[in-house]
Amino acid sequence: MINPILNQLYQICGQDNVIDNPQLTNPYTHDWRKRYHGSAIAVVFPENEQQVQELVHFCLSSQIAIIPQGGNTSTCGAATPLSDYNKPQLIINLQRMNKIISLDCDNYSLTVEAGCTLQQVQDYANAHELYFPLSLASQGSCQIGGNLATNAGGVQVLKYGMIRDLTLGLRAVLANGETLDGLTALRKDNTYLDLKQLLIGSEGTLGIITHASLKLFPIPPACCTLMFPVTSIAQALQLLHQLKAYYTNNVSAFEIIKRDSWQIYQNYFEFRHELCEAPWSVLCEIEVNNDFVLENLLTLLEQSEIDLNQSIIASSENERQSLWQLREQIPLAEKQYGYAAKHDISLPLSQIEDFVISNSAKLKELEPRGYFSIFGHLGDGNLHYNFGIAGVDSQQINALEKSVNPIVYQDVIVRGGSISAEHGIGQSKKHWFEKFCDPVSYQLMQQIKQQLDPKSLFNPEKIFNFPCL
Ligand SMILES: Cc1cc2nc3c(=O)[nH]c(=O)nc-3n(C[C@H](O)[C@H](O)[C@H](O)COP(=O)(O)OP(=O)(O)OC[C@H]3O[C@@H](n4cnc5c(N)ncnc54)[C@H](O)[C@@H]3O)c2cc1C
């Protein structure tokens, strides 16, 4: 006899769009980093918003916990069901809701279903000679709904902001079963509270985002993309300051990579260059127009004592993409290298150099065998600050995290930083979130959650600790 829950899911989405065989559900019940895995009665793939509404109503009436899921590229266990839970858990994955709804070239806006991948949106905009600037290494898999639910950042935040800054409107099936329709394409709308902001960054705890209206831009006329060595974070930041003064907000990306990250990288990918031997290297992109004079940029770099002989300046679109590919492959190399205590932190730019020097000395003293891999979006004050021990398993990393994380996060908070710059809270940071969040803000956020989802059925035990009632 068919399980009555499955039967109802078949009725709503069609039998072909529901999977419950563990071999098939496996990619959806494990997270990208293989740190979390959970159990789900099924993974269901709705085709449209109406099916999402029906699924939500069914789950609310049957006390089934819902795990909204996009590309499942979360790095903090946000999209993975819990391993042991007192209610059945259903993964609602939006990959079939991948239609482009409308393009308004005059308004520079694009309306899409939330299951479109980021790459799909970028390509669609490009095909219409427009530009959607959000750019992440996971863009082939992650979905716009997931990007919104995590307020994704990436490599172009310096000029264009995070996805919150790129969103005009959205529609969502809320955790109480109602549908919030805020799918406008307006740049100005001061009719009291901007409720889309509640859903952006909500990590699937308040509802399922079904549609979004996104800002587009003219394609930048050209880019100057270059990678160069620096001796310290301070030198990199001093140069960033000068570049911003000269090129104003046309400096669109400013990434940093520590030498140790290149050493890990070279275990898996072919890239040998003397700049990998420098203590740090910077990958920088400047959007340029016809007035751009490369000589001026080179002079500026030389004045900042950058060794141009060790630098790479992309001279074609292919070379530009190759430079970006190097940067994007770093997390992939790290993943293959093994488990590490990973921290996605942000700090005021003025604090970063001191933080890295003093905190890394503390970690090295704690665990002399440890290695660092530090890279990230320096221009935004965001580092992926990772500390591991070669060859350890996930349990040993859990133990390492217990001693390392307090040292990292305490120092981050003391310096006015954040324990989650762009990856969210999910399962991995909820205790730290509770510890460091302003208590009034924390309580208000809990009240909003309880108001919309009193039984805590939406992505339970993510962000907050309360279980389903
Ligand atoms: C190699 C790699 C590089 C990365 N680089 C970056 C980076 O540079 N910047 C950055 O910000 N992140 C980065 N990430 C993290 C991740 O890709 C982003 O957080 C991304 O936005 C998640 O999108 P997703 O579709 O995979 O969401 P998922 O992982 O499926 O879900 C993430 C969260 O969103 C919720 N969710 C998903 N879809 C919906 C929806 N439709 N409605 C409501 N809630 C939903 C889930 O419940 C979960 O809480 C990277 C990840 C990897 C693996």
Side-chain angles (χ1 to χ4, degrees):
M1 203 182 82
I2 302 176
N3 170 323
I5 294 179
L6 285 180
N7 203 20
Q8 188 59 34
L9 299 177
Y10 295 163
Q11 301 276 327
I12 297 172
C13 290
Q15 190 160 348
D16 290 347
N17 301 309
V18 181
I19 52 174
D20 66 323
N21 175 338
Q23 277 180 336
L24 298 178
T25 58
N26 210 20
Y28 304 93
T29 52
H30 287 69
D31 75 315
W32 187 81
R33 282 189 176 153
K34 306 282 177 263
R35 296 289 306 273
Y36 296 93
H37 68 274
S39 58
I41 40 166
V43 185
V44 60
F45 303 94
E47 190 189 14
N48 53 44
E49 186 180 82
Q50 191 186 333
Q51 290 183 359
V52 175
Q53 287 164 343
E54 288 176 28
L55 287 168
V56 169
H57 292 156
F58 168 61
C59 289
L60 293 184
S61 62
S62 309
Q63 295 289 295
I64 297 169
I66 292 173
I67 318 299
Q69 194 177 73
N72 196 19
T73 64
S74 167
T75 58
C76 55
T80 314
L82 301 167
S83 54
D84 180 23
Y85 201 52
N86 64 1
K87 293 262 187 313
Q89 300 174 88
L90 175 69
I91 296 174
I92 301 184
N93 185 301
L94 265 68
Q95 69 188 39
R96 288 176 71 227
M97 289 182 55
N98 60 358
K99 290 184 229 31
I100 303 284
I101 303 292
S102 62
L103 170 70
D104 185 342
C105 294
D106 293 339
N107 192 47
Y108 285 93
S109 62
L110 179 67
T111 302
V112 300
E113 285 186 329
C116 288
T117 63
L118 173 55
Q119 182 79 59
Q120 186 187 348
V121 167
Q122 289 172 349
D123 290 348
Y124 188 87
N126 265 317
H128 294 82
E129 294 181 5
L130 288 164
Y131 180 55
F132 184 61
L134 188 74
S135 174
L136 326 178
S138 54
Q139 62 200 28
S141 314
C142 65
Q143 299 174 8
I144 291 298
N147 298 151
L148 285 162
T150 55
N151 186 25
V155 296
Q156 299 283 327
V157 172
L158 199 54
K159 172 158 186 176
Y160 294 98
M162 299 178 76
I163 198 170
R164 191 185 293 285
D165 303 299
L166 301 172
T167 305
L168 298 169
L170 58 75
R171 206 153 67 202
V173 179
L174 297 175
N176 63 9
E178 290 176 347
T179 298
L180 176 97
D181 188 357
L183 196 62
T184 73
L186 301 173
R187 279 170 174 74
K188 287 187 147 185
D189 180 10
N190 266 352
T191 48
Y192 198 40
L193 300 181
D194 181 2
L195 290 178
K196 70 174 177 291
Q197 304 300 352
L198 265 187
L199 273 298
I200 299 176
S202 63
E203 296 189 38
T205 60
L206 300 181
I208 299 181
I209 299 163
T210 58
H211 296 81
S213 172
L214 304 167
K215 280 185 200 169
L216 300 180
F217 297 82
I219 295 180
C223 285
C224 178
T225 308
L226 62 159
M227 201 182 266
F228 52 84
V230 287
T231 52
S232 65
I233 292 177
Q235 189 193 13
L237 286 175
Q238 197 185 7
L239 179 63
L240 174 63
H241 195 68
Q242 283 165 354
L243 290 173
K244 278 178 163 175
Y246 195 82
Y247 295 105
T248 61
N249 86 331
N250 287 322
V251 186
S252 57
F254 199 84
E255 301 284 302
I256 197 158
I257 302 156
K258 188 173 165 63
R259 175 170 47 206
D260 312 47
S261 301
W262 285 127
Q263 285 164 357
I264 292 171
Y265 180 92
Q266 286 167 344
N267 288 309
Y268 309 98
F269 297 101
E270 282 304 319
F271 177 61
R272 305 279 182 275
H273 193 281
E274 57 247 83
L275 72 66
C276 302
E277 307 304 324
W280 301 88
S281 34
V282 167
L283 173 57
C284 170
E285 189 155 275
I286 304 168
E287 291 183 3
V288 296
N289 55 24
N290 293 338
D291 300 337
F292 176 74
V293 181
L294 183 60
E295 289 307 313
N296 293 351
L297 174 61
L298 298 182
T299 307
L300 219 150
L301 293 171
E302 270 177 334
Q303 282 167 355
S304 298
E305 296 180 4
I306 302 299
D307 183 349
L308 292 179
N309 292 323
Q310 286 189 16
S311 304
I312 306 173
I313 301 175
S315 58
S316 65
E317 180 56 24
N318 273 352
E319 284 185 21
R320 171 181 177 255
Q321 284 180 12
S322 301
L323 285 182
W324 278 112
Q325 194 181 33
L326 298 174
R327 163 64 184 86
E328 286 166 6
Q329 285 169 336
I330 287 174
L332 307 183
E334 261 199 335
K335 186 182 175 188
Q336 290 191 62
Y337 195 63
Y339 294 106
K342 299 192 172 179
H343 311 98
D344 162 44
I345 53 172
S346 61
L347 287 149
L349 295 182
S350 50
Q351 294 287 330
I352 294 189
E353 167 99 342
D354 278 357
F355 165 82
V356 170
I357 291 173
S358 70
N359 192 269
S360 54
K362 287 183 197 172
L363 297 191
K364 213 51 190 160
E365 194 182 328
L366 174 84
E367 180 45 86
R369 292 174 302 162
Y371 68 84
F372 284 96
S373 174
I374 306 175
F375 61 96
H377 318 297
L378 180 65
D380 315 326
N382 175 191
L383 290 182
H384 301 310
Y385 182 77
N386 303 332
F387 184 66
I389 304 173
V392 298
D393 62 23
S394 78
Q395 282 190 345
Q396 289 166 301
I397 280 301
N398 288 342
L400 182 73
E401 280 178 341
K402 282 208 170 71
S403 47
V404 162
N405 290 359
I407 298 173
V408 174
Y409 291 143
Q410 193 66 47
D411 279 3
V412 165
I413 294 296
V414 165
R415 290 172 183 274
S418 169
I419 60 162
S420 176
E422 59 175 10
H423 290 173
I425 302 294
Q427 300 186 58
S428 63
K429 291 190 181 166
K430 59 185 176 178
H431 302 293
W432 298 108
F433 177 53
E434 184 175 11
K435 182 172 166 66
F436 291 125
C437 186
D438 158 57
V440 174
S441 306
Y442 191 80
Q443 196 185 17
L444 188 56
M445 289 187 239
Q446 279 188 318
Q447 285 166 352
I448 293 168
K449 166 75 176 165
Q450 276 162 342
Q451 175 69 32
L452 279 174
D453 185 17
K455 299 215 161 104
S456 198
L457 285 169
F458 261 70
N459 221 0
E461 300 201 15
K462 312 288 165 50
I463 301 189
F464 302 116
N465 253 335
F466 30 72
C468 280
L469 299 175

